[in-house]
Amino acid sequence: MVHSVKCETQRARKQITVLQALDVARTQLYHFTTIIIAGMGFFTDAYDLFSICLVTDLLGRIYYSDGTLPSNVSVAVNSVALFGTVIGQIFFGWLGDRMGRKRIYGITLKLMVLCSLASGLSFHHNSKCVIGTLCFFRFWLGFGIGGDYPLSATIMSEYANKRTRGAFIAAVFAMQGLGNLAAGAVVLIVSAKFMNAQAYKTDKFGQADYVWRIVLMFGAVPALLTYYWRMRMPETARYTALIAKNLKQAASDMTAVLDIEIPVDTEEMDAVIKQDNFGLFSSEFLHRHGRQLLATTMCWFVLDIVFYSLNLFLKDIFKGIGWFADASKMGPLEQTYKIAHTQAIISLSGTLPGYIFTVLFIDKLGRIKIQLMGFTMMTIFMLGLAGPYKFWSNSSMHVGFAIMYAFIFFFANFGPNSTTFILPTEIFPTRLRSTCHGISGAGGKIGAIIGVLWFVYCRTSIQNSLLMLAGCNLVGVMFTLVLPESKGMSLEDITGEIEEEEELSAGSPVTGAEFIHSVDLS
């Protein structure tokens, strides 16, 4: 009797001891400390980017005779920080891979603090000087915010263990929801304080001028609170081991951080040296990761067209159904107060719960399922708003409209707004991780700018604009299908960046060969 037996080669990926220790480390205090340190940067980012939409109308009431910002000024005020963010994400993302995550992390924080304070200052009280100064400093504020995106994401992903990495990165990003809510809360508190002051009765616009300045300058506070701790963070072990190629320093840093003894194996340097060193513009990168980079960038691009449009132009969308009364019949702060009140309701009922659900379920359901579900459900609810848009103008239906609007934000955050941030930190190699995250995020902010231009210059109705945004979600669904699932895997296993070693099958003298042997049955 003759048997044909095929002995297949087994392949085992070499994992560095210090990185394996990070992958299997139990969740401990330092993980939560890192979430807070990195998350406060995102708290500041969201506060600075979204607080401007709460005071834009106030700027028009104070500095322009007809009470509204001209179209070109509105575009500049709403989008100049986003232009800075695009450049900052690419530049600081690249620097983070060249000079280290920690070193660049401090620079972006300083820039954010200084420009938040400067945004509330102006050299004069005429409209050109005020708006010019505001736009100048908000551009550089956006530049610093842009750097915070890839660095915060990369640091958290490289510190986390593989079992709960998604939840940790999502928790950092969830601070964006708190920052958004804080923007509304600060506007409500400051506006109420000045409205109740005696001086407001005699000098409404003079007092209102203080409000927008205080609101914008407050963005420096959360960033300052974490500066000391951010500077004390060690460099990530993955940067030190795989890019700086200093295994001894990586083991020493993580021994102190994780409070466990991590041995140094000098023989592991061979695995580090054998890494593929292809660059971003190489054919090898294009072959391995080009399609993934296009997909992460496009998903973030279409998501931010929708997300920033719905945030920055919330007032216009709600005004179209009669939610807000005629502004000319209200004082400048009364209108600002009502806009902030509406934004806070949406944040509490939709935005924050969405972030919480992502933290709870990202490592159970996986990134791709959540992203597909989010894009799909956003499309359904947006069609529900856009199709019968005039129906919602009935005063008895206003609350229903607000609930539907909140559901869009719930599924944006329990969906692509979180996962587009997480995936680029996991599926690209360590030496290009920050750069690729920066490119993906820059694509998103370009989408946000397009959303601003659409709402300011496009003469179409709010109903048609909502239908256009729903179409963007469907594009996101298609590009999501290209992306790999990264749940529960080591970063090195996802990216394949550490050389594989071949192991022969037990008892087989031939690797991967098919051989024949005879068995005598007599």
Side-chain angles (χ1 to χ4, degrees), residues 224-240:
L224 276 172
L225 292 176
T226 57
Y227 179 76
Y228 171 75
W229 300 106
R230 189 177 282 207
M231 292 300 95
R232 291 194 62 186
M233 291 179 71
E235 184 56 83
T236 70
R238 285 184 161 88
Y239 180 88
T240 306

Side-chain angles (χ1 to χ4, degrees), residues 190-429:
V190 176
S191 297
K193 182 70 175 175
F194 276 87
M195 281 193 295
N196 293 327
Q198 189 65 31
Y200 185 67
K201 296 177 181 179
T202 56
D203 184 19
K204 291 184 185 296
F205 292 101
Q207 294 299 301
D209 192 51
Y210 289 114
V211 171
W212 72 266
R213 295 174 188 275
I214 293 170
V215 168
L216 297 185
M217 293 172 76
F218 186 81
V221 175
L224 276 172
L225 292 176
T226 57
Y227 179 76
Y228 171 75
W229 300 106
R230 189 177 282 207
M231 292 300 95
R232 291 194 62 186
M233 291 179 71
E235 184 56 83
T236 70
R238 285 184 161 88
Y239 180 88
T240 306
L242 300 180
I243 300 179
K245 302 188 187 305
N246 189 340
L247 289 179
K248 185 176 180 181
Q249 184 63 50
S252 174
D253 289 343
M254 292 306 103
T255 294
V257 164
L258 299 177
D259 196 26
I260 57 175
E261 188 62 37
I262 301 176
V264 179
D265 185 352
T266 54
E267 294 181 1
E268 291 179 339
M269 274 305 299
D270 290 339
V272 173
I273 293 169
K274 287 179 182 178
Q275 286 183 96
D276 291 318
N277 290 313
F278 54 82
L280 181 67
F281 300 105
S282 65
S283 58
E284 185 68 18
F285 177 86
L286 186 63
H287 173 69
R288 291 194 186 187
H289 302 288
R291 187 173 61 173
Q292 296 173 358
L293 182 58
L294 175 64
T296 56
T297 303
M298 285 303 300
C299 286
W300 210 332
F301 172 79
V302 294
L303 179 275
D304 274 6
I305 291 178
V306 178
F307 190 76
Y308 279 82
S309 294
L310 296 180
N311 263 298
L312 295 177
F313 297 96
L314 176 145
K315 177 190 71 70
D316 300 276
I317 295 170
F318 274 74
K319 185 179 179 181
I321 62 164
W323 181 276
F324 296 115
D326 187 354
S328 62
K329 297 178 181 178
M330 294 186 287
L333 290 184
E334 285 81 357
Q335 182 187 23
T336 300
Y337 186 91
K338 187 156 188 180
I339 294 170
H341 184 259
T342 303
Q343 190 257 12
I345 291 173
I346 299 296
S347 293
L348 280 171
S349 58
T351 302
L352 281 177
Y355 286 119
I356 293 170
F357 269 63
T358 301
V359 173
L360 293 176
F361 294 107
I362 185 75
D363 288 311
K364 295 181 177 69
L365 298 178
R367 289 72 163 138
I368 303 305
K369 285 182 181 178
I370 289 177
Q371 186 158 308
L372 287 171
M373 176 194 66
F375 271 131
T376 303
M377 295 304 294
M378 287 170 68
T379 304
I380 291 170
F381 281 105
M382 292 185 75
L383 292 175
L385 292 183
Y389 186 69
K390 292 183 179 179
F391 165 78
W392 299 110
S393 60
N394 188 315
S395 59
S396 63
M397 301 307 299
H398 286 178
V399 173
F401 185 90
I403 292 172
M404 295 273 283
Y405 207 82
F407 268 115
I408 294 173
F409 279 98
F410 174 82
F411 284 107
N413 295 308
F414 184 36
N417 193 40
S418 297
T419 52
T420 53
F421 176 79
I422 295 170
L423 280 164
T425 69
E426 298 181 319
I427 64 177
F428 298 110

